[in-house]
Amino acid sequence: MESADLHRAVEAGRATASEVGLQVDDVIVVHNSDRVALRLVPCDVLARVAPLGHLGDSEFEVDVARRLAEVGAPVAELDPRVEPRVYVRDAFAVSLWTYYEPVGSEIAPADYADVFLRHHAALRQIDLDAPQVTDRVAGALREVDDGERSPELSDRDRAFLSDTLGGLSAAISSDRAGDQLLHGEPHPGNLLNTRRGPLFVDLATCCRGPVEFDLAHAPEDVGKHYPGADQDLIHRCRAVNWAMFSAWRWRRDDQMPDRDHWRVEGLSRVRAALDRCGMG
């Protein structure tokens, strides 16, 4: 968010927490993109604040978190002191979560795979209306194919991303017998090492697809520790993940920090991933 919007988002998070009886003396910005994450102290709450255009996503995330907590999933939980819902304040959607202090070092591949197994097992226990992975790919493809949405994307790279997204979507969806609910974007930044063990955060990306789609977001060695995982499918999913990442970076209104670097790097990662699965 730009500085003016960030200031308003911080105030919305502070005011929301104070209004429900939590003590807020200071606010620390933990993450700033199209949504912001704020640590509120001394109540030790993580406030997730999004523009109202993301209200549906915020409500979906709260619903997913509530259901997964009920079945003991390894996920960050909503703050138990307040009503588990999304609050609307000053054109922002605010949700209040337990803050977890990061501990330890990088999560080992075997431990990463173990928390995946437990998370996927928990996801199979809940009934949730969630989009297919291919719906998300289709959304990225619309950004690429619409020159008004991605005006700075060259014709050559537009054709490359369009062909990659279309071809890989068909490859991933060819057999849906093993599809289940997934986290959707369980990259290392969305898996916290806490005193309670590793916990997944950022649950708004929950979708349906093969477990290999989740595994493709993790470091490469993780999939080797996940029983029954199709390694070739992981490689294809990793390529489509980078293609979607690249599509978002070329959006006219994308707000990711250092976007120009990631536009170039994203395309490079797509090509490297395609080479890895023999599709380059």
mmCIF file of all heavy atoms in Angstrom, residues 136-175:
data_model
loop_
_atom_site.group_PDB
_atom_site.id
_atom_site.type_symbol
_atom_site.label_atom_id
_atom_site.label_comp_id
_atom_site.label_asym_id
_atom_site.label_seq_id
_atom_site.Cartn_x
_atom_site.Cartn_y
_atom_site.Cartn_z
ATOM 1 N N ARG A 136 -7.923 -20.681 -10.743
ATOM 2 C CA ARG A 136 -6.894 -19.683 -10.462
ATOM 3 C C ARG A 136 -5.987 -19.472 -11.669
ATOM 4 O O ARG A 136 -5.588 -18.349 -11.971
ATOM 5 C CB ARG A 136 -6.077 -20.114 -9.245
ATOM 6 C CG ARG A 136 -6.891 -20.135 -7.957
ATOM 7 C CD ARG A 136 -6.059 -20.519 -6.767
ATOM 8 N NE ARG A 136 -4.929 -19.629 -6.600
ATOM 9 C CZ ARG A 136 -3.904 -19.868 -5.788
ATOM 10 N NH1 ARG A 136 -3.878 -20.995 -5.088
ATOM 11 N NH2 ARG A 136 -2.920 -19.014 -5.678
ATOM 12 N N VAL A 137 -5.661 -20.565 -12.354
ATOM 13 C CA VAL A 137 -4.845 -20.442 -13.568
ATOM 14 C C VAL A 137 -5.599 -19.620 -14.612
ATOM 15 O O VAL A 137 -5.016 -18.756 -15.281
ATOM 16 C CB VAL A 137 -4.477 -21.826 -14.124
ATOM 17 C CG1 VAL A 137 -3.693 -21.684 -15.426
ATOM 18 C CG2 VAL A 137 -3.662 -22.626 -13.117
ATOM 19 N N ALA A 138 -6.897 -19.859 -14.737
ATOM 20 C CA ALA A 138 -7.702 -19.114 -15.705
ATOM 21 C C ALA A 138 -7.706 -17.625 -15.375
ATOM 22 O O ALA A 138 -7.699 -16.773 -16.285
ATOM 23 C CB ALA A 138 -9.130 -19.657 -15.729
ATOM 24 N N GLY A 139 -7.723 -17.295 -14.082
ATOM 25 C CA GLY A 139 -7.662 -15.889 -13.695
ATOM 26 C C GLY A 139 -6.362 -15.243 -14.119
ATOM 27 O O GLY A 139 -6.344 -14.100 -14.605
ATOM 28 N N ALA A 140 -5.245 -15.949 -13.955
ATOM 29 C CA ALA A 140 -3.948 -15.433 -14.397
ATOM 30 C C ALA A 140 -3.911 -15.292 -15.917
ATOM 31 O O ALA A 140 -3.364 -14.325 -16.460
ATOM 32 C CB ALA A 140 -2.832 -16.355 -13.918
ATOM 33 N N LEU A 141 -4.517 -16.260 -16.597
ATOM 34 C CA LEU A 141 -4.524 -16.230 -18.055
ATOM 35 C C LEU A 141 -5.302 -15.017 -18.578
ATOM 36 O O LEU A 141 -4.913 -14.403 -19.586
ATOM 37 C CB LEU A 141 -5.132 -17.527 -18.585
ATOM 38 C CG LEU A 141 -5.041 -17.792 -20.086
ATOM 39 C CD1 LEU A 141 -3.594 -17.748 -20.559
ATOM 40 C CD2 LEU A 141 -5.666 -19.149 -20.411
ATOM 41 N N ARG A 142 -6.373 -14.646 -17.892
ATOM 42 C CA ARG A 142 -7.137 -13.458 -18.308
ATOM 43 C C ARG A 142 -6.277 -12.200 -18.212
ATOM 44 O O ARG A 142 -6.376 -11.315 -19.066
ATOM 45 C CB ARG A 142 -8.386 -13.308 -17.442
ATOM 46 C CG ARG A 142 -9.499 -14.293 -17.800
ATOM 47 C CD ARG A 142 -10.805 -13.915 -17.144
ATOM 48 N NE ARG A 142 -10.753 -14.043 -15.686
ATOM 49 C CZ ARG A 142 -11.036 -15.161 -15.037
ATOM 50 N NH1 ARG A 142 -11.367 -16.266 -15.703
ATOM 51 N NH2 ARG A 142 -10.983 -15.202 -13.714
ATOM 52 N N GLU A 143 -5.440 -12.111 -17.190
ATOM 53 C CA GLU A 143 -4.555 -10.957 -17.062
ATOM 54 C C GLU A 143 -3.560 -10.899 -18.215
ATOM 55 O O GLU A 143 -3.264 -9.831 -18.743
ATOM 56 C CB GLU A 143 -3.793 -11.025 -15.726
ATOM 57 C CG GLU A 143 -4.664 -11.040 -14.491
ATOM 58 C CD GLU A 143 -5.393 -9.725 -14.263
ATOM 59 O OE1 GLU A 143 -4.891 -8.675 -14.733
ATOM 60 O OE2 GLU A 143 -6.456 -9.741 -13.616
ATOM 61 N N VAL A 144 -3.050 -12.056 -18.593
ATOM 62 C CA VAL A 144 -2.053 -12.120 -19.661
ATOM 63 C C VAL A 144 -2.679 -11.812 -21.021
ATOM 64 O O VAL A 144 -2.099 -11.080 -21.838
ATOM 65 C CB VAL A 144 -1.394 -13.516 -19.679
ATOM 66 C CG1 VAL A 144 -0.559 -13.709 -20.950
ATOM 67 C CG2 VAL A 144 -0.529 -13.705 -18.439
ATOM 68 N N ASP A 145 -3.859 -12.354 -21.279
ATOM 69 C CA ASP A 145 -4.471 -12.223 -22.598
ATOM 70 C C ASP A 145 -5.130 -10.870 -22.833
ATOM 71 O O ASP A 145 -5.475 -10.542 -23.971
ATOM 72 C CB ASP A 145 -5.509 -13.331 -22.803
ATOM 73 C CG ASP A 145 -4.865 -14.699 -22.999
ATOM 74 O OD1 ASP A 145 -3.645 -14.733 -23.285
ATOM 75 O OD2 ASP A 145 -5.565 -15.713 -22.873
ATOM 76 N N ASP A 146 -5.323 -10.076 -21.802
ATOM 77 C CA ASP A 146 -5.961 -8.761 -21.922
ATOM 78 C C ASP A 146 -4.886 -7.679 -21.897
ATOM 79 O O ASP A 146 -4.305 -7.385 -20.854
ATOM 80 C CB ASP A 146 -6.950 -8.557 -20.771
ATOM 81 C CG ASP A 146 -7.797 -7.298 -20.948
ATOM 82 O OD1 ASP A 146 -7.342 -6.363 -21.650
ATOM 83 O OD2 ASP A 146 -8.899 -7.235 -20.379
ATOM 84 N N GLY A 147 -4.632 -7.077 -23.065
ATOM 85 C CA GLY A 147 -3.586 -6.064 -23.159
ATOM 86 C C GLY A 147 -3.843 -4.844 -22.302
ATOM 87 O O GLY A 147 -2.897 -4.158 -21.893
ATOM 88 N N GLU A 148 -5.093 -4.556 -21.987
ATOM 89 C CA GLU A 148 -5.378 -3.406 -21.128
ATOM 90 C C GLU A 148 -5.032 -3.698 -19.673
ATOM 91 O O GLU A 148 -4.706 -2.787 -18.916
ATOM 92 C CB GLU A 148 -6.862 -3.026 -21.246
ATOM 93 C CG GLU A 148 -7.240 -2.473 -22.620
ATOM 94 C CD GLU A 148 -8.677 -1.970 -22.653
ATOM 95 O OE1 GLU A 148 -9.351 -2.052 -21.607
ATOM 96 O OE2 GLU A 148 -9.100 -1.505 -23.720
ATOM 97 N N ARG A 149 -5.116 -4.954 -19.282
ATOM 98 C CA ARG A 149 -4.767 -5.321 -17.906
ATOM 99 C C ARG A 149 -3.264 -5.460 -17.727
ATOM 100 O O ARG A 149 -2.752 -5.302 -16.614
ATOM 101 C CB ARG A 149 -5.435 -6.641 -17.524
ATOM 102 C CG ARG A 149 -6.954 -6.594 -17.497
ATOM 103 C CD ARG A 149 -7.499 -7.898 -16.967
ATOM 104 N NE ARG A 149 -8.957 -7.937 -16.965
ATOM 105 C CZ ARG A 149 -9.689 -8.899 -16.424
ATOM 106 N NH1 ARG A 149 -9.095 -9.919 -15.842
ATOM 107 N NH2 ARG A 149 -11.000 -8.857 -16.454
ATOM 108 N N SER A 150 -2.549 -5.806 -18.787
ATOM 109 C CA SER A 150 -1.090 -5.999 -18.709
ATOM 110 C C SER A 150 -0.425 -5.292 -19.888
ATOM 111 O O SER A 150 0.184 -5.936 -20.751
ATOM 112 C CB SER A 150 -0.754 -7.493 -18.713
ATOM 113 O OG SER A 150 -1.416 -8.149 -19.797
ATOM 114 N N PRO A 151 -0.529 -3.953 -19.956
ATOM 115 C CA PRO A 151 -0.089 -3.216 -21.150
ATOM 116 C C PRO A 151 1.418 -3.245 -21.392
ATOM 117 O O PRO A 151 1.854 -3.033 -22.534
ATOM 118 C CB PRO A 151 -0.570 -1.780 -20.866
ATOM 119 C CG PRO A 151 -0.668 -1.702 -19.374
ATOM 120 C CD PRO A 151 -1.106 -3.063 -18.925
ATOM 121 N N GLU A 152 2.227 -3.505 -20.373
ATOM 122 C CA GLU A 152 3.685 -3.466 -20.551
ATOM 123 C C GLU A 152 4.291 -4.818 -20.893
ATOM 124 O O GLU A 152 5.504 -4.929 -21.075
ATOM 125 C CB GLU A 152 4.331 -2.910 -19.277
ATOM 126 C CG GLU A 152 3.917 -1.472 -18.981
ATOM 127 C CD GLU A 152 4.468 -0.991 -17.655
ATOM 128 O OE1 GLU A 152 3.868 -1.298 -16.611
ATOM 129 O OE2 GLU A 152 5.516 -0.309 -17.682
ATOM 130 N N LEU A 153 3.459 -5.837 -20.993
ATOM 131 C CA LEU A 153 3.939 -7.176 -21.341
ATOM 132 C C LEU A 153 4.158 -7.253 -22.851
ATOM 133 O O LEU A 153 3.257 -6.961 -23.639
ATOM 134 C CB LEU A 153 2.917 -8.220 -20.899
ATOM 135 C CG LEU A 153 3.265 -9.695 -21.068
ATOM 136 C CD1 LEU A 153 4.524 -10.052 -20.287
ATOM 137 C CD2 LEU A 153 2.096 -10.571 -20.615
ATOM 138 N N SER A 154 5.346 -7.647 -23.270
ATOM 139 C CA SER A 154 5.651 -7.707 -24.694
ATOM 140 C C SER A 154 4.832 -8.809 -25.371
ATOM 141 O O SER A 154 4.386 -9.758 -24.721
ATOM 142 C CB SER A 154 7.142 -7.974 -24.917
ATOM 143 O OG SER A 154 7.472 -9.299 -24.546
ATOM 144 N N ASP A 155 4.655 -8.697 -26.680
ATOM 145 C CA ASP A 155 3.889 -9.706 -27.420
ATOM 146 C C ASP A 155 4.534 -11.082 -27.283
ATOM 147 O O ASP A 155 3.838 -12.097 -27.132
ATOM 148 C CB ASP A 155 3.811 -9.322 -28.901
ATOM 149 C CG ASP A 155 2.932 -8.104 -29.139
ATOM 150 O OD1 ASP A 155 2.147 -7.747 -28.221
ATOM 151 O OD2 ASP A 155 3.030 -7.506 -30.223
ATOM 152 N N ARG A 156 5.868 -11.117 -27.321
ATOM 153 C CA ARG A 156 6.585 -12.393 -27.224
ATOM 154 C C ARG A 156 6.347 -13.047 -25.864
ATOM 155 O O ARG A 156 6.022 -14.244 -25.777
ATOM 156 C CB ARG A 156 8.079 -12.159 -27.452
ATOM 157 C CG ARG A 156 8.954 -13.403 -27.318
ATOM 158 C CD ARG A 156 10.405 -13.072 -27.692
ATOM 159 N NE ARG A 156 11.289 -14.202 -27.450
ATOM 160 C CZ ARG A 156 11.925 -14.419 -26.298
ATOM 161 N NH1 ARG A 156 11.759 -13.578 -25.288
ATOM 162 N NH2 ARG A 156 12.736 -15.452 -26.165
ATOM 163 N N ASP A 157 6.498 -12.265 -24.799
ATOM 164 C CA ASP A 157 6.321 -12.829 -23.466
ATOM 165 C C ASP A 157 4.851 -13.111 -23.169
ATOM 166 O O ASP A 157 4.524 -14.053 -22.430
ATOM 167 C CB ASP A 157 6.896 -11.885 -22.409
ATOM 168 C CG ASP A 157 8.414 -11.834 -22.442
ATOM 169 O OD1 ASP A 157 9.026 -12.826 -22.880
ATOM 170 O OD2 ASP A 157 8.991 -10.811 -22.029
ATOM 171 N N ARG A 158 3.955 -12.327 -23.766
ATOM 172 C CA ARG A 158 2.521 -12.575 -23.596
ATOM 173 C C ARG A 158 2.157 -13.937 -24.191
ATOM 174 O O ARG A 158 1.446 -14.735 -23.575
ATOM 175 C CB ARG A 158 1.707 -11.465 -24.259
ATOM 176 C CG ARG A 158 0.197 -11.517 -23.924
ATOM 177 C CD ARG A 158 -0.568 -10.414 -24.675
ATOM 178 N NE ARG A 158 -0.013 -9.097 -24.454
ATOM 179 C CZ ARG A 158 -0.259 -8.353 -23.376
ATOM 180 N NH1 ARG A 158 -1.052 -8.819 -22.427
ATOM 181 N NH2 ARG A 158 0.277 -7.157 -23.253
ATOM 182 N N ALA A 159 2.659 -14.215 -25.378
ATOM 183 C CA ALA A 159 2.383 -15.504 -26.018
ATOM 184 C C ALA A 159 3.000 -16.644 -25.221
ATOM 185 O O ALA A 159 2.383 -17.707 -25.059
ATOM 186 C CB ALA A 159 2.925 -15.493 -27.449
ATOM 187 N N PHE A 160 4.212 -16.412 -24.703
ATOM 188 C CA PHE A 160 4.902 -17.443 -23.906
ATOM 189 C C PHE A 160 4.103 -17.785 -22.651
ATOM 190 O O PHE A 160 3.845 -18.965 -22.355
ATOM 191 C CB PHE A 160 6.301 -16.945 -23.542
ATOM 192 C CG PHE A 160 6.995 -17.775 -22.490
ATOM 193 C CD1 PHE A 160 7.370 -19.088 -22.756
ATOM 194 C CD2 PHE A 160 7.271 -17.237 -21.231
ATOM 195 C CE1 PHE A 160 8.007 -19.853 -21.782
ATOM 196 C CE2 PHE A 160 7.902 -17.993 -20.268
ATOM 197 C CZ PHE A 160 8.274 -19.306 -20.535
ATOM 198 N N LEU A 161 3.676 -16.773 -21.905
ATOM 199 C CA LEU A 161 2.920 -17.024 -20.679
ATOM 200 C C LEU A 161 1.551 -17.620 -20.982
ATOM 201 O O LEU A 161 1.075 -18.517 -20.272
ATOM 202 C CB LEU A 161 2.760 -15.725 -19.879
ATOM 203 C CG LEU A 161 3.977 -15.247 -19.101
ATOM 204 C CD1 LEU A 161 3.681 -13.917 -18.408
ATOM 205 C CD2 LEU A 161 4.422 -16.284 -18.080
ATOM 206 N N SER A 162 0.912 -17.151 -22.033
ATOM 207 C CA SER A 162 -0.400 -17.675 -22.397
ATOM 208 C C SER A 162 -0.320 -19.159 -22.752
ATOM 209 O O SER A 162 -1.127 -19.971 -22.276
ATOM 210 C CB SER A 162 -0.978 -16.880 -23.571
ATOM 211 O OG SER A 162 -2.277 -17.330 -23.895
ATOM 212 N N ASP A 163 0.658 -19.525 -23.560
ATOM 213 C CA ASP A 163 0.826 -20.928 -23.944
ATOM 214 C C ASP A 163 1.172 -21.795 -22.722
ATOM 215 O O ASP A 163 0.675 -22.926 -22.586
ATOM 216 C CB ASP A 163 1.930 -21.059 -24.996
ATOM 217 C CG ASP A 163 1.537 -20.475 -26.346
ATOM 218 O OD1 ASP A 163 0.332 -20.207 -26.543
ATOM 219 O OD2 ASP A 163 2.434 -20.258 -27.178
ATOM 220 N N THR A 164 2.022 -21.261 -21.849
ATOM 221 C CA THR A 164 2.436 -22.018 -20.662
ATOM 222 C C THR A 164 1.259 -22.253 -19.731
ATOM 223 O O THR A 164 1.020 -23.383 -19.281
ATOM 224 C CB THR A 164 3.559 -21.270 -19.920
ATOM 225 O OG1 THR A 164 4.685 -21.119 -20.790
ATOM 226 C CG2 THR A 164 3.985 -22.039 -18.682
ATOM 227 N N LEU A 165 0.516 -21.201 -19.434
ATOM 228 C CA LEU A 165 -0.622 -21.333 -18.517
ATOM 229 C C LEU A 165 -1.690 -22.259 -19.087
ATOM 230 O O LEU A 165 -2.225 -23.124 -18.379
ATOM 231 C CB LEU A 165 -1.224 -19.949 -18.227
ATOM 232 C CG LEU A 165 -0.377 -19.042 -17.331
ATOM 233 C CD1 LEU A 165 -0.869 -17.598 -17.411
ATOM 234 C CD2 LEU A 165 -0.399 -19.539 -15.887
ATOM 235 N N GLY A 166 -1.997 -22.104 -20.375
ATOM 236 C CA GLY A 166 -3.016 -22.951 -20.993
ATOM 237 C C GLY A 166 -2.605 -24.413 -21.051
ATOM 238 O O GLY A 166 -3.381 -25.307 -20.692
ATOM 239 N N GLY A 167 -1.357 -24.663 -21.459
ATOM 240 C CA GLY A 167 -0.895 -26.037 -21.594
ATOM 241 C C GLY A 167 -0.751 -26.747 -20.263
ATOM 242 O O GLY A 167 -1.158 -27.903 -20.107
ATOM 243 N N LEU A 168 -0.199 -26.058 -19.271
ATOM 244 C CA LEU A 168 0.008 -26.687 -17.977
ATOM 245 C C LEU A 168 -1.298 -26.874 -17.216
ATOM 246 O O LEU A 168 -1.460 -27.840 -16.468
ATOM 247 C CB LEU A 168 0.987 -25.863 -17.138
ATOM 248 C CG LEU A 168 2.447 -25.943 -17.599
ATOM 249 C CD1 LEU A 168 3.315 -24.965 -16.826
ATOM 250 C CD2 LEU A 168 2.997 -27.357 -17.431
ATOM 251 N N SER A 169 -2.246 -25.967 -17.403
ATOM 252 C CA SER A 169 -3.550 -26.136 -16.754
ATOM 253 C C SER A 169 -4.205 -27.427 -17.226
ATOM 254 O O SER A 169 -4.761 -28.192 -16.425
ATOM 255 C CB SER A 169 -4.457 -24.940 -17.058
ATOM 256 O OG SER A 169 -5.722 -25.103 -16.460
ATOM 257 N N ALA A 170 -4.116 -27.685 -18.531
ATOM 258 C CA ALA A 170 -4.690 -28.919 -19.071
ATOM 259 C C ALA A 170 -3.965 -30.145 -18.518
ATOM 260 O O ALA A 170 -4.591 -31.163 -18.190
ATOM 261 C CB ALA A 170 -4.618 -28.896 -20.598
ATOM 262 N N ALA A 171 -2.636 -30.047 -18.375
ATOM 263 C CA ALA A 171 -1.861 -31.189 -17.868
ATOM 264 C C ALA A 171 -2.191 -31.488 -16.410
ATOM 265 O O ALA A 171 -2.302 -32.654 -16.007
ATOM 266 C CB ALA A 171 -0.364 -30.900 -18.020
ATOM 267 N N ILE A 172 -2.373 -30.448 -15.611
ATOM 268 C CA ILE A 172 -2.653 -30.634 -14.184
ATOM 269 C C ILE A 172 -4.052 -31.178 -13.953
ATOM 270 O O ILE A 172 -4.294 -31.969 -13.040
ATOM 271 C CB ILE A 172 -2.456 -29.293 -13.439
ATOM 272 C CG1 ILE A 172 -0.971 -28.926 -13.418
ATOM 273 C CG2 ILE A 172 -2.988 -29.381 -12.004
ATOM 274 C CD1 ILE A 172 -0.701 -27.530 -12.897
ATOM 275 N N SER A 173 -5.001 -30.775 -14.802
ATOM 276 C CA SER A 173 -6.406 -31.147 -14.580
ATOM 277 C C SER A 173 -6.817 -32.420 -15.309
ATOM 278 O O SER A 173 -7.987 -32.800 -15.280
ATOM 279 C CB SER A 173 -7.315 -30.002 -15.035
ATOM 280 O OG SER A 173 -7.184 -29.769 -16.435
ATOM 281 N N SER A 174 -5.871 -33.109 -15.936
ATOM 282 C CA SER A 174 -6.221 -34.277 -16.749
ATOM 283 C C SER A 174 -6.806 -35.416 -15.917
ATOM 284 O O SER A 174 -7.601 -36.214 -16.400
ATOM 285 C CB SER A 174 -4.988 -34.776 -17.517
ATOM 286 O OG SER A 174 -3.952 -35.144 -16.612
ATOM 287 N N ASP A 175 -6.415 -35.505 -14.643
ATOM 288 C CA ASP A 175 -6.935 -36.560 -13.769
ATOM 289 C C ASP A 175 -7.278 -35.948 -12.421
ATOM 290 O O ASP A 175 -6.398 -35.636 -11.621
ATOM 291 C CB ASP A 175 -5.891 -37.667 -13.587
ATOM 292 C CG ASP A 175 -6.400 -38.796 -12.677
ATOM 293 O OD1 ASP A 175 -7.604 -38.784 -12.342
ATOM 294 O OD2 ASP A 175 -5.589 -39.656 -12.314
#
